């Protein structure tokens, strides 16, 4: 598996991994690949398919400009983005990678092709630069979900460095077989694989950092009121509901614990919708589920060693995400929301079971349940914004992950449907799904509710 846990969990910026993080990375990569830039006179970015249809709602336009200016998702300061872009647009000028200035005009240098898609994936973009002598260079990139990008013609596996690992796996059956032979748990095997790429100290520091960013994101979301950007006038609810939930009177029923889990997830997705700092898990649209279940684990399950448990949780969740990405997709534009919220639910369920000491069979069972009950779920965000249904959907996904984990832990690990089968079912279901249900905002909730008009952009 040519993927690392840090490919699945990337610190970035909202609101979308495929429509914000990926395009920002692609724009910057295009310029870096074509440096030096001191004789460049013009750069043009063209967005196609889902990137065009829901691009403004997903801040793809902002992301592309920031990437051309040299910003990265992990380092850009979310609170400075609007001012940075306003300055560039007012000056009619972009500084490529922070240095070479070129003219910039929307509609000329940033173009949305609403009725056109590129052949290899619904999230296509073309960048073209012109040099002083009139020579041009043009490249096509695809944002394939979870912040991953690939260049036109590039094999999917080439997007990540290939490293020989002790427990290579392309299916859950292979990973389980390694477990039987080695006597190791899934998080132990993932740890050994990661240690072929980096030292154990670097791995643990990276995992701890991911958890810290997730935890901070929940805390910030639970403390921030107001209205989300984008024109739908959606009110942030997590903070007010959290305040209400923090009183003793509001905690009198057993299911109030699940209400709090929903609020953790909604807090993250409100942060994401506001363009805040989030971790892709495995995408931004589904970024609330894993942090919510992790906080539930770390605080409510009262583990003896929460640091080790959180690390095992993340490693196990990453294994499930890798399988889904490799054998189906984690892109809403490719297979609908089953590939985002469904996959995140499966990752969280498996992570929870691993952290609570479940067997490899129970981990597989939890992940399989997590996906099975999201099969067929469409992606139909209203106004092309990652708000409705996405925010509440993460709350629901987190609660379902805990239920899936609980069901698996009460069993003995044997189950009827394998994880590999359910992932393949998800892939086929996504292939059969009409394009209007795949992050285009042309079907479902998106057309049954009055929306803001982004078409003019
Ligand atoms: S509906 Fe699901 S897949 Fe679509 S943008 Fe929202 S979270 Fe992502």
């Amino acid at each position: 598996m040519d993927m690392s846990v840090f490919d699945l969990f990337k610190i970035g910026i909202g609101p979308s991994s495929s429509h914000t993080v990926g395009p920002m990375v692609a724009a910057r990569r295009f310029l870096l690949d074509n440096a030096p830039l001191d004789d460049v006179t013009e750069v043009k970015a063209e967005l196609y398919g889902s990137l065009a249809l829901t691009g403004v709602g997903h801040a793809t336009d902002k992301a592309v400009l920031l990437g051309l200016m040299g910003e990265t998702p992990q380092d850009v300061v979310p609170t400075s983005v609007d001012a940075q872009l306003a300055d560039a647009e007012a000056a009619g000028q972009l500084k490529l990678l922070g240095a070479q200035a070129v003219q910039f005009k929307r509609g000329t240098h940033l173009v949305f092709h609403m009725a056109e898609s590129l052949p290899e994936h619904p999230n296509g973009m073309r960048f073209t630069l012109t040099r002083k002598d009139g020579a041009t260079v043009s490249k096509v990139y695809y944002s394939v979900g979870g912040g991953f990008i690939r260049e036109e013609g590039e094999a999917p596996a080439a997007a990540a460095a290939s490293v020989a690992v002790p427990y290579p796996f392309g299916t859950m059956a292979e990973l389980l077989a390694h477990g039987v032979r080695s006597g190791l748990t899934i998080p132990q095997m993932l740890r050994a694989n990661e240690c072929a790429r980096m030292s154990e100290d670097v791995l643990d520091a990276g995992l701890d950092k991911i958890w810290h960013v997730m935890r901070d994101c929940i805390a910030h979301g639970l403390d921030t009121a107001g209205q989300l950007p984008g024109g739908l006038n959606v009110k942030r609810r997590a903070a007010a509901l959290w305040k209400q939930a923090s009183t003793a009177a509001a905690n009198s029923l057993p299911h109030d614990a699940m209400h709090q889990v929903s609020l953790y997830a909604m807090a993250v997705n409100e942060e994401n919708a506001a363009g805040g700092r989030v971790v892709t898990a495995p995408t931004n649209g589904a970024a609330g589920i894993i942090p919510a279940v992790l906080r539930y684990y770390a605080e409510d399950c009262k583990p003896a060693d929460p640091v080790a448990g959180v690390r095992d949780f993340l490693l196990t969740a990453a294994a499930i995400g890798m399988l889904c990405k490799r054998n189906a997709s984690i892109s809403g534009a490719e297979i609908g929301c089953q590939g985002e919220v469904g996959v995140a639910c499966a990752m969280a369920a498996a992570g929870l079971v691993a952290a609570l000491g479940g067997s490899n069979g129970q981990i597989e069972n939890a992940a399989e349940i997590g996906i099975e009950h999201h099969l067929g779920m469409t992606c139909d965000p209203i106004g092309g914004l990652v708000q409705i249904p996405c925010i509440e959907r993460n709350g629901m996904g987190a609660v379902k992950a805990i239920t899936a984990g609980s069901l698996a832990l009460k069993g003995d690990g044997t189950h009827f449907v394998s994880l590999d089968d359910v992932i393949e079912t998800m892939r086929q279901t996504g292939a059969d799904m009409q394009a209007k249900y795949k992050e285009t905002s042309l079907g479902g909730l998106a057309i049954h509710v009055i929306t803001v008009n982004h078409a003019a952009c």
Side-chain angles (χ1 to χ4, degrees):
M1 182 76 68
D2 287 335
M3 257 181 269
S4 160
V5 60
F6 300 116
D7 292 323
L8 269 297
F9 298 118
K10 294 192 278 281
I11 297 169
I13 185 174
S16 168
S17 44
S18 56
H19 289 56
T20 315
V21 174
M24 193 187 301
V25 172
R28 184 168 177 271
R29 177 171 150 189
F30 170 68
L31 293 183
L32 287 173
D33 285 352
N34 288 288
L37 305 172
D38 48 1
D39 63 342
V40 172
T41 56
E42 188 176 51
V43 169
K44 183 174 179 181
E46 296 169 272
L47 304 173
Y48 295 85
S50 176
L51 288 186
L53 288 163
T54 63
V56 172
H58 285 59
T60 310
D61 52 342
K62 294 182 181 182
V64 163
L65 300 184
L66 288 167
L68 293 174
M69 291 157 78
E71 294 284 5
T72 61
Q74 63 274 21
D75 291 326
V76 67
V77 179
T79 48
S80 76
V81 162
D82 285 342
Q84 246 177 301
L85 293 173
D87 287 351
E89 298 220 28
Q93 200 177 67
L94 277 187
K95 283 197 174 165
L96 303 180
L97 300 183
Q100 174 70 1
V102 293
Q103 274 196 336
F104 171 74
K105 192 166 181 271
R106 272 179 191 263
T108 304
H109 301 110
L110 179 62
V111 180
F112 289 72
H113 295 284
M114 298 289 189
E116 220 181 311
S117 285
L118 295 177
E120 294 181 16
H121 192 279
N123 293 335
M125 61 206 122
R126 175 179 285 113
F127 296 99
T128 306
L129 65 76
T130 307
R131 299 191 187 277
K132 236 180 223 160
D133 62 4
T136 61
V137 183
S138 188
K139 279 191 183 175
V140 168
Y141 297 87
Y142 294 96
S143 179
V144 296
F148 289 84
I149 60 162
R150 65 177 164 79
E151 204 177 318
E152 187 174 42
E154 187 178 25
S162 185
V163 172
V165 295
Y167 303 104
F169 63 99
T171 62
M172 185 49 119
E174 288 170 4
L175 189 56
L176 291 173
H178 282 310
V180 170
R181 280 193 294 271
S182 66
L184 296 177
T185 64
I186 288 174
Q188 286 171 334
M189 290 186 280
L190 263 286
R191 174 170 288 274
N193 283 356
E194 292 296 325
C195 287
R197 301 183 172 93
M198 64 193 88
S199 73
E200 196 152 21
D201 285 349
V202 169
L203 171 64
D204 285 335
L207 293 172
D208 295 348
K209 172 118 194 258
I210 294 292
W211 170 223
H212 287 155
V213 176
M214 288 178 168
R215 215 174 42 191
D216 287 351
C217 185
I218 294 176
H220 198 259
L222 290 178
D223 196 34
T224 308
Q227 195 164 287
L228 294 172
L232 278 183
N233 303 326
V234 172
K235 262 187 157 178
R236 294 179 73 137
R237 287 183 292 162
L241 289 171
W242 177 246
K243 209 166 163 195
Q244 189 189 72
S246 304
T247 65
N251 280 306
S252 55
L253 294 169
H255 62 255
D256 286 327
M258 290 302 104
H259 175 60
Q260 294 198 1
V261 171
S262 295
L263 296 185
Y264 300 154
M266 288 171 61
V268 170
N269 285 83
E270 287 180 357
E271 282 294 293
N272 179 59
R277 171 74 67 230
V278 295
V279 178
T280 60
T283 66
N284 279 28
I289 295 169
I290 288 171
V293 179
L294 263 172
R295 180 159 164 176
Y296 165 78
Y297 162 73
E299 290 188 5
D300 298 320
C301 295
K302 310 220 175 319
D305 186 351
V307 174
V310 165
R311 291 170 181 167
D312 282 352
F313 187 122
L314 289 171
L315 288 165
T316 306
I320 306 304
M322 290 172 193
L323 288 168
C324 293
K325 173 157 175 48
R326 183 185 193 276
N327 298 326
S329 170
I330 56 170
S331 163
E334 208 168 9
I335 63 167
C337 198
Q338 56 176 353
E340 295 206 15
V341 164
V343 170
C345 176
M347 292 168 70
L352 180 63
V353 170
L356 292 175
S359 67
N360 290 349
Q362 289 170 320
I363 291 170
E364 187 209 5
N365 190 190
E368 176 272 314
I369 295 170
I371 292 182
E372 187 177 292
H373 303 291
H374 286 93
L375 285 175
M377 192 159 75
T378 60
C379 171
D380 52 357
I382 297 177
L385 298 163
V386 194
Q387 297 179 8
I388 306 171
C390 319
I391 295 169
E392 276 179 6
R393 190 167 278 181
N394 274 260
M396 303 298 291
V399 172
K400 283 164 90 171
I402 293 170
T403 305
S406 174
L407 273 172
L409 279 168
K410 305 284 186 224
D412 63 4
T414 56
H415 47 279
F416 200 84
V417 180
S418 74
L419 179 65
D420 292 328
D421 283 344
V422 89
I423 291 174
E424 172 58 15
T425 305
M426 177 171 69
R427 187 192 69 73
Q428 288 182 19
T429 305
D432 289 342
M433 201 181 276
Q434 292 183 47
K436 66 181 180 178
Y437 297 120
K438 295 196 274 194
E439 212 163 355
T440 55
S441 286
L442 296 174
L445 281 175
I447 61 161
H448 288 288
V449 179
I450 297 167
T451 66
V452 286
N453 179 13
H454 292 296
C457 309

